[in-house]
Amino acid sequence: MTSKPRVRFAPSPTGYLHVGGARTALYNWLFARHLGGVFVLRIEDTDLDRSEARHEAALIEDLQWLGLEWDEGPGVEGPHAPYRQSERLGIYREHTERLLREGQAYRCFCTGEQLEAERASAAADHRPQVYSGRCRGIAEPESARRAEAGEAFAVRLKIPDHPLRFHDLVRGEVEFPNETVSDPILVRSSGMPVYNYVVTVDDALMEITHVIRGDDHISNTPKQVAIYEAFGWKLPEFAHLSTILGSDREKLSKRHGATAVASFREMGILPEALVNYLALLGWGAEGGTREIFSLEELTREFRLERVTASPAVFDWEKLHWLSRHYLKQAEPARVEELAWPHFAGAGLLPVLETAGPDVKAWFAKLLALFLPAVSQLDELPKKAGFIFGFDVGAARANEENAAVLATESAQKVLSAFAAKVGAQDGTVTPEQFKAWMNEVKAETGAKGKGLFHPVRIALTGSHSGPEFDKLIPIVEEGSRLTLPVHVASVRERVERFFAE
RNA sequence: GGCGCCAUGGUGUAAUUGGUUAACACGCCGCCCUCUCAAGGCGGAGAGUUCGGGUUCGAUCCCCGAUGGCGCUACCA
């Protein structure tokens, strides 16, 4: 091939972009970028009832968030504009007239009831449910006359007399016997052209060289091949990507929880994590020992020939692993900005724009402490919640805590510790804290868990959590800030714990 | 029912043109670190490649069949 490949992602704006679509877009984008080709975005909105402008806007936002910019399409336009099918109706009409004129297509006057009856009898006879071709034989003068007279008709393509075959980059040669393919409807009786038709016309006119899409389209492909042939157009290469399955091995859907790209963004998963994960879902680099890939690295490594044909099960655990990796890797300033709204939304912090530099600096430290503990940013407020306050009664009542607190040793540790805290004013430093703990240890004989757990419960409400060395400064510093929720100092925590 | 696609540990993928102790990662288990949790480091278990036939000196890999899963079977996309 001498010319640069041209690929397209052609979503219909009938809902949000989900992981399956995102992976299709990603593979198209990677294929184009790897070969220096062109990535086209085309909006398939011929289903006027279900298409909505807000979905198109959301789609574009999601694609941009993933970093998959397009070379031609809405917003950037290009030599084959328009890129929205609802704006290309005239083009389809011209092509339909040509097909009719050349006898490649015909008017079908069959009613829905007739077609229904045909299907029913075909099913009863265990035969393929294909259209009988009843209207194929209507002579052109009569056909034209009936149309003229106002009789409703759809336009159907004549499926040729030979097997329909095409080459698929991930599956090899695929062939469908023509007897199993119905003469497809090209234009509805309403005059609106149908998906299989417009997609083909557009792919050909936009000079798409590689059609990369989900394998739910594989059975549509013979019809599209017939359309290419009817127009005398050269067939593109196809690549049908396998389905993404849920853990129950059913096609992934909203039923399996969040599958919309936007929801991953809202959860606080970084786009590079999602991209990396999606790339791995159906593709493996040569050798297969690497898992972490940036978009640039993927661009370099990606080969369509290495894409698997078998369906893949979506695995949250692995996505989370990747998510944690990228969260730790990311620029702190970026993560701070992304994490902040989750705290503000929980009422723990003011909105970012109104926060002072001292609060921001404090938050940075807080984030550094808790980030390793989460897989996605929206878990943060809960993880760090005890910093902002906890229910002493509930903490004492907690079974595991109660067991720790019940021992005589724990009681001695706590009262010794409280005495230390009460005896002094001012900020508690980690050094001071350490010194106190050593003293308590000497006085009570408690050590290890026996020493630390009671204190940890008193201070945080839980027997587990981040190291005290890092925790103490955050608590103390936080207590001096003006926040929507007061952060209690070590001293306040001790007082509060004993008050109940 | 018809047509099509697919089939390697629980999951995602590897395995020069048929010859490997079937590899890597997630997860799981254990150990180390540690007051604890998370992170991190180290180690382990887990598949003989869905099943049955071929072809071959030799099949994860090629062919056939079965089984199972999925998709399509619309005047939806």
Side-chain angles (χ1 to χ4, degrees), chain A residues 107 109 142-153 189:
Chain A
R107 299 185 189 83
F109 299 94
E142 188 197 340
S143 170
R145 201 197 61 239
R146 286 171 70 175
E148 205 80 2
E151 195 172 335
F153 66 89
S189 49

Side-chain angles (χ1 to χ4, degrees), chain A residues 83-223:
Chain A
Y83 293 93
R84 208 171 273 115
Q85 291 184 329
S86 58
E87 296 166 13
R88 299 172 63 81
L89 267 19
I91 296 172
Y92 310 132
R93 195 172 3 257
E94 287 168 24
H95 282 80
T96 308
E97 280 161 16
R98 175 178 155 194
L99 249 20
L100 242 17
R101 201 184 321 123
E102 295 176 357
Q104 301 275 9
Y106 60 94
R107 299 185 189 83
C108 175
F109 299 94
C110 293
T111 63
E113 297 79 67
Q114 285 175 307
L115 297 174
E116 191 53 50
E118 276 191 10
R119 273 193 292 272
S121 77
D125 292 350
H126 296 194
R127 302 197 51 250
Q129 298 183 26
V130 297
Y131 173 57
S132 65
R134 186 196 342 245
C135 295
R136 245 202 205 213
I138 300 178
E140 173 54 24
E142 188 197 340
S143 170
R145 201 197 61 239
R146 286 171 70 175
E148 205 80 2
E151 195 172 335
F153 66 89
V155 177
R156 282 188 193 264
L157 181 79
K158 289 181 183 168
I159 285 292
D161 239 355
H162 55 80
L164 297 158
R165 55 172 66 104
F166 58 93
H167 184 253
D168 191 302
L169 254 358
V170 346
R171 293 156 211 271
E173 297 300 323
V174 182
E175 178 178 308
F176 287 77
N178 57 307
E179 311 82 54
T180 66
V181 184
S182 263
D183 283 354
I185 300 253
L186 265 23
V187 182
R188 300 174 175 94
S189 49
S190 67
M192 186 58 79
V194 125
Y195 165 81
N196 272 309
Y197 179 47
V198 299
V199 93
T200 307
V201 171
D202 285 342
D203 284 344
L205 263 27
M206 292 182 181
E207 301 178 82
I208 299 304
T209 59
H210 299 259
V211 173
I212 306 168
R213 74 222 312 192
D215 71 355
D216 47 335
H217 290 293
I218 203 159
S219 306
N220 289 326
T221 309
K223 295 175 186 172

Side-chain angles (χ1 to χ4, degrees), chain A residues 179-310:
Chain A
E179 311 82 54
T180 66
V181 184
S182 263
D183 283 354
I185 300 253
L186 265 23
V187 182
R188 300 174 175 94
S189 49
S190 67
M192 186 58 79
V194 125
Y195 165 81
N196 272 309
Y197 179 47
V198 299
V199 93
T200 307
V201 171
D202 285 342
D203 284 344
L205 263 27
M206 292 182 181
E207 301 178 82
I208 299 304
T209 59
H210 299 259
V211 173
I212 306 168
R213 74 222 312 192
D215 71 355
D216 47 335
H217 290 293
I218 203 159
S219 306
N220 289 326
T221 309
K223 295 175 186 172
Q224 297 177 9
V225 167
I227 296 172
Y228 277 97
E229 288 183 4
F231 280 113
W233 289 330
K234 181 173 177 290
L235 276 188
E237 288 280 336
F238 290 92
H240 287 99
L241 274 23
S242 64
T243 322
I244 297 180
L245 271 21
S247 50
D248 55 1
R249 301 214 143 257
E250 303 254 343
K251 186 173 180 175
L252 195 66
S253 67
K254 22 278 130 224
R255 201 166 52 70
H256 295 92
T259 58
V261 168
S263 65
F264 290 93
R265 179 174 59 229
E266 285 153 16
M267 282 184 259
I269 285 176
L270 298 178
E272 54 267 45
L274 220 211
V275 162
N276 194 153
Y277 180 67
L278 257 20
L280 260 24
L281 211 54
W283 168 87
E286 207 172 330
T289 63
R290 271 186 71 196
E291 306 282 328
I292 306 284
F293 293 95
S294 66
L295 210 42
E296 294 69 39
E297 292 167 324
L298 284 172
T299 300
R300 201 162 52 235
E301 302 279 328
F302 188 80
R303 302 286 130 82
L304 211 39
E305 298 73 30
R306 293 192 60 83
V307 169
T308 339
S310 54

Side-chain angles (χ1 to χ4, degrees), chain A residues 479-492:
Chain A
S479 72
R480 293 191 298 273
L481 297 170
T482 305
L483 296 170
V485 174
H486 175 66
V487 171
S489 65
V490 169
R491 189 159 287 107
E492 290 167 321

Side-chain angles (χ1 to χ4, degrees), chain A residues 335-348:
Chain A
V335 183
E336 283 156 29
E337 197 170 320
L338 291 172
W340 192 288
H342 292 287
F343 285 85
L348 301 176

